[in-house]
């Protein structure tokens, strides 16, 4: 089963034991949003506008003619005319599951469940669902293969150079930007994860536009943190 970059990010970020994300909701939302933009760029469905391009500010994202995963198609209009960092923030939104990123995450989880990759479990009390968990499904080989490929990329100095590793390398670079790699791979040395994460983020295997999506993760995390800190103060 071939996985898109946002699928790889989401599947790696779910705790197999607890059935819940290994990182906080904001960090996961930013990682999935950045992964979606990276996929759109890799597929040629959006591109970065150049200098002197009519009707577009240099460095902003614009729609292109490439084909992409149908689940990512609604995001094209959301990112149009925005910088990569602002596009990530737009996708994450402020309305939880109703935001573009929340809808995408829900769709990806539903599709994983339908394919047997994950199994949806609900904790109920007095007839009401108070928590939803996503445990490993019958098709465990999908996640096992992803984990194996991810570890190969992290542990091999030349990993990421081959075309068949680029989606996984991009997913790992994005998770590194979201400070998630030590939680996803707690058995690997922190120094290895930091060094390889930095190498993957700056790797020559990625186009300049895809690297812009990777680099924007940290800036988006700061922007969301500031917003979530200031908004409650203003509205209280």
């Amino acid at each position: 089963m071939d996985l898109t970059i946002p699928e790889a990010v989401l599947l790696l970020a779910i705790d197999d034991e607890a059935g819940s994300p290994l990182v906080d909701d904001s960090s996961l939302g930013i990682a999935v949003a950045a992964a979606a933009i990276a996929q759109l760029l890799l597929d040629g469905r959006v591109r970065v506008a150049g200098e002197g391009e009519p009707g577009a500010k240099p460095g902003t994202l614009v729609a292109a003619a490439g084909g992409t995963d149908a689940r990512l198609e609604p995001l094209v209009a959301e990112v149009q005319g925005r910088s990569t960092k602002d596009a990530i923030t737009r996708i994450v939104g402020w309305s939880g599951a109703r935001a573009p990123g929340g809808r995408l995450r829900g769709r990806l989880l539903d599709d994983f469940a339908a394919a047997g990759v994950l199994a949806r479990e609900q904790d109920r009390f007095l007839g009401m669902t108070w928590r939803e968990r996503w445990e490993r499904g019958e098709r465990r080989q999908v996640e096992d293969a992803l984990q194996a490929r991810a570890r190969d990329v992290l542990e091999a100095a030349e990993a990421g150079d081959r075309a068949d590793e680029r989606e996984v390398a991009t997913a790992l670079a994005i998770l590194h930007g979201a400070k998630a790699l030590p939680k996803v791979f707690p058995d690997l040395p922190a120094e290895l994860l930091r060094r390889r994460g930095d190498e993957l983020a700056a790797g020559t295997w990625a186009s300049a536009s895809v690297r812009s999506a990777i680099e924007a993760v940290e800036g988006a995390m700061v922007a969301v943190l500031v917003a979530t800190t200031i908004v409650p103060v203003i509205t209280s």
Side-chain angles (χ1 to χ4, degrees):
M1 181 178 179
D2 293 331
L3 298 174
T4 63
I5 300 170
E7 284 178 321
V9 164
L10 186 57
L11 196 55
L12 286 170
I14 293 179
D15 188 328
D16 289 338
E17 297 296 328
S20 57
L22 289 158
V23 296
D24 63 88
D25 193 69
S26 293
S27 297
L28 181 58
I30 290 167
V32 171
I37 292 173
Q39 188 70 60
L40 290 170
L41 288 164
L42 194 63
D43 292 343
R45 185 62 183 92
V46 300
R47 59 181 177 80
V48 178
E51 290 285 345
E53 187 169 327
K57 184 178 179 180
T60 60
L61 299 172
V62 294
T68 192
D69 189 307
R71 297 168 298 184
L72 304 182
E73 186 64 34
L75 299 181
V76 176
E78 301 288 347
V79 306
Q80 176 78 21
R82 299 177 185 274
S83 68
T84 306
K85 182 176 75 68
D86 288 346
I88 293 173
T89 304
R90 172 69 178 182
I91 292 172
V92 173
W94 310 112
S95 52
R98 296 188 300 276
R103 293 196 297 271
L104 173 62
R105 199 191 318 180
R107 177 72 183 276
L108 296 179
L109 288 170
D110 287 344
D111 288 350
F112 275 143
V117 176
L118 295 176
R120 187 198 313 262
E121 301 291 341
Q122 293 181 332
D123 294 329
R124 301 175 67 84
F125 181 71
L126 297 178
M128 299 180 63
T129 300
W130 64 276
R131 185 177 66 172
E132 194 168 63
R133 292 179 289 109
W134 298 90
E135 300 180 352
R136 281 161 63 87
E138 295 179 355
R139 294 183 64 191
R140 297 187 173 194
Q141 68 271 22
V142 174
E143 184 178 359
D144 290 344
L146 174 61
Q147 282 276 349
R149 290 176 64 199
R151 288 175 182 275
D152 285 346
V153 170
L154 288 170
E155 294 175 342
E158 72 281 4
D161 291 338
R162 299 202 311 266
D164 63 345
E165 292 174 332
R166 288 174 185 168
E167 282 79 4
V168 173
T170 303
L172 291 171
I174 288 170
L175 287 168
H176 172 63
K179 316 298 183 189
L181 285 184
K183 295 181 179 179
V184 177
F185 301 98
D187 58 314
L188 295 180
E191 174 56 28
L192 168 68
L193 296 175
R194 184 198 62 75
R195 174 174 54 80
R196 286 298 291 136
D198 287 345
E199 290 171 355
L200 290 171
T204 57
W205 51 270
S207 66
S209 58
V210 171
R211 282 201 303 275
S212 75
I214 295 170
E215 294 166 357
V217 173
E218 190 169 345
M221 288 184 67
V222 172
V224 169
L225 177 62
V226 170
T228 55
T229 301
I230 294 176
V231 170
V233 173
I234 294 175
T235 57
S236 61

